[in-house]
Amino acid sequence: MKNQSLRVGVIGTGVMGERHCENLFNKITDAHLVAVSDLKVGRAERIGRLFGDAKVFETPKDLINSNDVDAVLVATSDDVHSSLILDCIKVNKPVLCEKPMSINLDEAWQIIESEITIGRKLVQIGFCRRYDDQHLEVKRKFDSGDFGRSIFYKGWHRNRSVDNRKLTNEQILLNSAIHEFDSIRWLLGEEARKIYVTGVHTNSDRVSDLLDLITVHVSLSGDCVANFDVYMSAGYGYEIGFELIGQNGTATIGPPSHPFYRDNLKYTSTVESHWLGRLQQAYLSEVQSWVHSVKSDDFTGPTAWDGYMSLQSAIYGIKSLETGSPMNIPEIDVPDLYDL
Ligand code: ISE
């Protein structure tokens, strides 16, 4: 395997799956796209043709079981992530699955148990922020100890617009806020213990009861706190950012590295319109690093355990939003397989 190009199959060829296929075809080294599968067969055929004549499989299971596929990337709708991950584990195939790893904790736990049973990690979860250069720089700075202990994560996550009729309050926590739940654990090195979520519907014409702007407050172990908003219809563009406050210093990431202009009595710059633009560097580095991990059998990415712990915050966040009360999050011991 070390000297051969990794043969990757992508399941789900929507917006994110297409981007991964394109990256695998054009940019990722030591791997290539060999197979695709999608409920919409026509879409899979188009993507397969576009990116190296990848073979189209009618069912995800056929792709997973194929001897021509070494590793699988899952970018389907969230509700089928866990069953596809379990199918990959059954045949001992490494899988990079988009977040969330599941939409419920029981199925997510089955994944943890399956990996424990086979005694190895095969699953990486697509927490792409961990591969974003800005996030990584802040992580390194805090890990160096220069700023002392990190205490407070204060973040924001803005999508430009969403289809209010399709999106649900649950999805905002499971699919969008889940990134912050992971970033908080990763940056602060502590676990969420209590969560309180409130939300508002920002659109005056009220096409739905969607709470498209939520604020999330998390208390963590080790005397740390986090606070962030997720605004799904911010209008001005796509943006993610945070301030991380430590004992001796703080770091901020925010507006990305577009040029900043001053003219005619004003400052101007450009805001990304979509996450595909803001996070392209992270997607590339995430998949490239996964390919190297798989080829060298040295697991480095966010694990199923990371996926489980972030999902736990999202699920208790949903309960908090529904009940209007803060929720305690149960403490669970890290299984040996994931204990570093
Ligand atoms: C989307 O699925 C993503 O993963 C983006 O990174 C996130 O910012 C967005 O809110 C999600 O809908």
Side-chain angles (χ1 to χ4, degrees), residues 112 116 121 305 333-340:
I112 300 289
I116 292 175
K121 291 179 259 185
W305 182 249
D333 291 336
V334 190
D336 289 347
L337 180 67
Y338 306 101
D339 207 2
L340 297 178

Side-chain angles (χ1 to χ4, degrees), residues 161-176:
S161 63
V162 285
D163 184 343
N164 276 1
R165 286 154 309 182
K166 287 198 188 138
L167 192 72
T168 63
N169 294 331
E170 289 79 13
Q171 281 168 342
I172 297 179
L173 281 134
L174 288 167
N175 188 279
S176 295

Side-chain angles (χ1 to χ4, degrees), residues 32 34 60 111 119 171 213 272 300:
H32 61 289
V34 289
I111 294 173
Q171 281 168 342
L213 169 55
E272 298 289 352
T300 55

